[in-house]
Amino acid sequence: MDATHASGRLAVVNPQGDKLAILRKYEKYIREDGQAVLYQIKSCKGEEVGCPFLIKAPRPIARQMADTMEELSFSQRLYEKIPGRILPHQTFKMAVAGCPNSCSMPQIKDFGVIAREQVTVDPGAECTLCRKCLKACREETITLKPDRTVIVHYERCVDCGQCARVCPTGSIKVKARGHTVVMGGKVGRHPRFATELVRFVQEPQVVKALEMASEKILGEGGRYIYEVLVKESTLQEIRDAIGET
Ligand code: SF4
Ligand code: SF4
Ligand code: SF4
C-alpha cells in the first residue's frame, strides 16, 4: 500500500508502485500536504467580478459539494477502487455556474450545477409597454399585446431572470431561484453534452444527487465515471430520490 488515510484523504508516503505518478504532475490533484484529491469542482467567477447575470453565488454550493466529497471519503475510496495508475480522466469533474450562461462549462463535466431564476407574469400589475423586457430577453421569449397583456413562452425560456430585473412595474417578476443539475458531459475523442438530471431543485437536493452519483461511481469500481452517469437507470434512480421543487 502506498498511501495512508487521514481525515478521509490520502497521504502519499511511498512512491514505489505509485498510483498517483501521473496525477502528481498536475498541482490540482495533489495538495500541499501531499494528500491526493480525486475530484475537482470549478466555479464561475460571478461573485468575484460582480457579474450582472449572477443568480446564485456558486461558491457556497461548491463548498457544500466539496464537503460532501470529503464526508464520503471519495478520494480515498476511488483511489482504492482503481487498479494501477490513476489517469486524469478517471477523476470526478464538477462545475457550478451562477446563471444559465454557464461560464464554468457544467455541460461538459461529469456533474454540473447551473443556477436558474424562474419568472412569472403578474396579471395584477400594469404593464406600460416599455419594451425593456424584450430588449433583455435574448431568446425572444416574450410577447407584448396592445392591450398590455404579457406572455412568456416558457418552452423557449432559459430561466435567466433578466426580464424580471429590468421590468419597472413588476409585470414580470421572479417566481423562484434554484439549480439545474446535469450529468455525464465530457470532451475527448467522443465528446458529449451532459444530460439534464433535474430542471429545478434546491441545494439539499443538489447535495443528495451528488451523494448518489458518487456512490454509483464508487459502486461500479470507479473506473467508468462517464458510463455510470449516463445510464438511464442511474438518472431515474436519482430523480426518484430527490424529486423536484
Ligand atoms: S456563469 Fe453567469 S454568473 Fe457566472 S460568470 Fe458567467 S455570466 Fe456571470
Ligand atoms: S427569464 Fe430570461 S429567457 Fe426567460 S423570458 Fe426572461 S429574459 Fe427571456
Ligand atoms: S418590462 Fe415590464 S412593463 Fe415593460 S413591457 Fe416588459 S412587462 Fe411591460
Side-chain angles (χ1 to χ4, degrees), residues 100 117-119 133-142 151-154 156-164 172:
E117 192 164 78
Q118 292 182 334
V119 298
C133 54
L134 298 187
K135 287 181 195 146
C137 183
R138 297 181 194 176
E139 279 66 33
E140 300 183 351
T141 298
I142 300 164
I151 300 167
V152 175
H153 300 278
Y154 289 106
R156 295 203 301 272
C157 176
V158 298
D159 300 331
C160 70
Q162 290 294 303
C163 52
I172 301 178

Side-chain angles (χ1 to χ4, degrees), residues 44-46 51 53-54 97-99 101-103:
C44 80
K45 302 286 184 202
C51 178
F53 297 101
L54 184 66
C99 84
N101 287 349
S102 301
C103 298

Side-chain angles (χ1 to χ4, degrees), residues 21 24 66 72 87 117 122 135 146 167-168 192 214 226 230 232:
R24 216 184 294 287
L72 292 174
L87 301 171
E117 192 164 78
D122 182 353
K135 287 181 195 146
C167 180
R192 179 189 188 277
S214 300
Y226 161 74
V230 297
E232 189 50 43

